[in-house]
Amino acid sequence: MEFADYPNESIMNIIDRPEIIFVKGEGSTLIDHTGHAYCDWIQGWAVNTLGHCDAGIIRTLHHQAQKLINPSPAFYNLPMGQLAELLTQKSHFDRVFFANSGAEANEGAIKLARKWGQIKKNGAYKIITFQDAFHGRTLATMSASGKAGWDTMFKPQVSGFSKAKLNDLSSVKALLDDETVAVMLEPIQGEGGVVPADLFFLQQLRELTLKKQVLLIVDEVQTGCGRTGYLFAHQAAEIKPDIMTLGKGIGGGIPLAALLATENTSLFEYGEQGGTYNGNPLMTAVGYEIISRISHPHFLKNVQNLGQILSEQLKNLSDKFNLLGERGVGLLRALLLPNDTAFQIANIARYLEPKGLLINAVRPNVLRFMPALNITEKDVCEMIHLLDTAIEQSMTK
Ligand SMILES: *Cc1c(COP(=O)(O)O)cnc(C)c1O
């Protein structure tokens, strides 16, 4: 097939896509319409926990599709209960609501916090979020996000969100008032450029929010589900947030997200929360397959080890080319560039021969790495080799 024959004229233009049509994926490799292979370090945007077309996911989808796809969200189904139970066993949360996207799970978290404020805190409704945060693309989650320019896009915003500075407790304290109901943050700002919240900051935040009777919400859409080498990133700080959202990795490529709450904060009454596809067995069966596999201590240890290896190799690359180092946790990492060459490098990497490399220029001067969590050391070496070539070429151009 030629790209010229592809019916792209009917697709709504929301992003500048390269003229590549992906037709097949296997593990860490993607194949395009010309048969060209790519080493995939984007993985559906940190989504494909177990790589492309994992045999266990295929089997689960196949078996579940033959049994039951959707009985309606108003009835129980087996995988929904089993996945909810597994998630509560593996965390300190008590209740789970399933959604279809991270943004939808975060909308649920915002609603739940406001509900808590109505019942327990005199109608308090304000939520403190952070500069450069990313919580999704619905109106409320865009308002909660701290991305530059998003405050005027589609104005007016949903009100009630004020922005503190990550890792700066006094900036949170300055925004706290009687109408504050929650503080909401990503343990690592993913879209913001892989910027981790310090573990000590998370602990201080938990202490402060408990003292002020304010909920702590962690958006673990990107950091959850093994990505950092912990099942959930906040566990590294040994804190217990009141509400957590999951997305991306929990579905391993299929649309699934979750809103988790402690018993005290799980306050929705009948009719206040829902969604046609929520908890459907086809998606929750896959979620169960993923969480049961990635929650093994061995699996998580391996993510930590590979994160270490990736970190060292990125550091070496940084030294070799005089870059500004690397950062991140587990297999969510970034390489910091001295100039705004991230897009150029990602572009060159994509078209390398005989095999391309897919990496994300998350900021003009930051490259992000979000591979499948079951990669091997060999995959890391292959990626570093390709990246080395791409950086070299970008410097001689
Ligand atoms: C991707 C992401 C979201 C939004 O998830 P969608 O499934 O795209 O709606 C929300 N929060 C964080 C931290 C994310 O990385």
Side-chain angles (χ1 to χ4, degrees):
M1 186 191 196
E2 298 285 320
F3 185 79
D5 300 328
Y6 181 72
N8 63 330
E9 297 289 303
S10 302
I11 295 171
M12 210 178 268
N13 272 326
I14 52 128
I15 192 163
D16 186 16
R17 296 183 171 104
E19 294 194 350
I20 297 172
I21 309 153
F22 285 112
V23 294
K24 196 172 156 45
E26 192 183 342
S28 285
T29 305
L30 267 178
I31 309 285
D32 75 12
H33 63 293
T34 66
H36 196 63
Y38 304 78
C39 197
D40 186 6
W41 279 62
I42 292 178
Q43 284 290 359
W45 224 261
V47 163
N48 303 323
T49 327
L50 302 170
H52 291 284
C53 299
D54 171 78
I57 296 182
I58 295 172
R59 208 180 311 120
T60 304
L61 274 170
H62 185 75
H63 285 166
Q64 190 58 46
Q66 284 182 324
K67 272 192 258 174
L68 181 64
I69 294 180
N70 197 346
S72 138
F75 296 119
Y76 288 118
N77 70 71
L78 275 177
M80 174 169 75
Q82 286 164 339
L83 178 57
E85 182 184 45
L86 184 60
L87 287 168
T88 57
Q89 281 167 353
K90 301 281 181 189
S91 70
H92 67 278
F93 297 100
D94 304 302
R95 300 276 177 176
V96 186
F97 170 82
F98 293 108
N100 314 295
S101 70
E104 194 191 355
N106 283 335
E107 283 274 342
I110 293 162
K111 282 166 67 177
L112 198 51
R114 287 190 177 190
K115 177 76 187 178
W116 186 85
Q118 286 172 6
I119 295 180
K120 308 225 174 174
K121 215 180 163 187
N122 272 330
Y125 68 97
K126 292 182 188 165
I127 299 180
I128 297 173
T129 57
F130 290 82
Q131 291 166 17
D132 295 316
F134 181 82
H135 297 296
R137 290 175 176 278
T138 61
L139 280 175
T141 56
M142 280 185 82
S143 305
S145 298
K147 257 176 109 116
W150 275 26
D151 48 344
T152 48
M153 212 185 278
F154 313 120
K155 63 186 181 186
Q157 281 196 305
V158 174
S159 60
F161 297 98
S162 53
K163 309 290 176 332
K165 252 184 98 192
L166 192 68
N167 293 325
D168 178 348
L169 196 70
S170 62
S171 74
V172 178
K173 283 181 180 159
L175 295 172
L176 266 176
D177 64 27
D178 290 344
E179 291 182 313
T180 307
V181 78
V183 175
M184 176 172 179
L185 84 167
E186 303 153 84
I188 301 169
Q189 290 187 338
E191 302 308 304
V194 190
V195 183
D198 300 334
L199 296 185
F200 184 55
F201 175 70
L202 288 173
Q203 289 158 356
Q204 284 181 313
L205 208 52
R206 177 68 286 195
E207 214 171 287
L208 175 71
T209 48
L210 281 174
K211 200 170 98 195
K212 299 282 184 185
Q213 286 195 312
V214 165
L215 299 178
L216 181 62
I217 304 173
V218 283
D219 174 349
E220 294 235 25
V221 171
Q222 189 155 155
T223 56
C225 303
R227 174 65 46 191
T228 64
Y230 293 84
L231 189 53
F232 308 115
H234 71 267
Q235 292 172 333
E238 297 182 346
I239 56 163
K240 291 184 174 160
D242 304 287
I243 294 172
M244 170 170 79
T245 54
L246 299 174
K248 295 197 165 90
I250 189 177
I254 57 98
L256 179 66
L259 163 66
L260 291 87
T262 58
E263 196 65 48
N264 279 341
T265 49
S266 182
L267 295 173
F268 283 136
E269 291 171 64
Y270 293 160
E272 291 180 341
Q273 180 68 339
T276 306
Y277 295 117
N278 87 71
N280 76 82
L282 192 61
M283 301 304 142
T284 47
V286 173
Y288 187 85
E289 162 81 11
I290 299 214
I291 296 295
S292 45
R293 277 167 65 188
I294 66 169
S295 58
H296 269 283
H298 275 111
F299 189 95
L300 294 170
K301 187 84 189 91
N302 197 45
V303 173
Q304 288 182 5
N305 289 343
L306 281 160
Q308 197 58 41
I309 291 167
L310 176 60
S311 161
E312 280 159 20
Q313 300 221 14
L314 287 173
K315 261 186 224 133
N316 291 343
L317 217 52
S318 174
D319 291 345
K320 177 174 170 184
F321 292 108
N322 273 320
L323 312 177
L324 304 181
E326 67 92 41
R327 68 179 170 226
V329 184
L331 288 174
L332 179 57
R333 310 205 81 89
L335 183 64
L336 315 178
L337 308 170
N339 338 83
D340 289 351
T341 50
F343 294 103
Q344 190 201 359
I345 293 171
N347 228 2
I348 293 172
R350 192 182 317 127
Y351 295 110
L352 286 175
E353 296 285 349
K355 196 173 183 185
L357 168 66
L358 302 176
I359 42 173
N360 167 239
V362 65
R363 296 235 137 175
N365 57 349
V366 182
L367 289 168
R368 178 170 47 169
F369 306 88
M370 35 191 180
L373 302 184
N374 57 355
I375 53 162
T376 61
E377 189 168 348
K378 200 164 145 261
D379 294 319
V380 176
C381 294
E382 183 185 21
M383 187 281 287
I384 293 287
H385 173 71
L386 293 171
L387 181 58
D388 186 317
T389 310
I391 295 174
E392 178 99 50
Q393 286 189 15
S394 79
M395 287 176 162
T396 54
K397 267 189 184 154

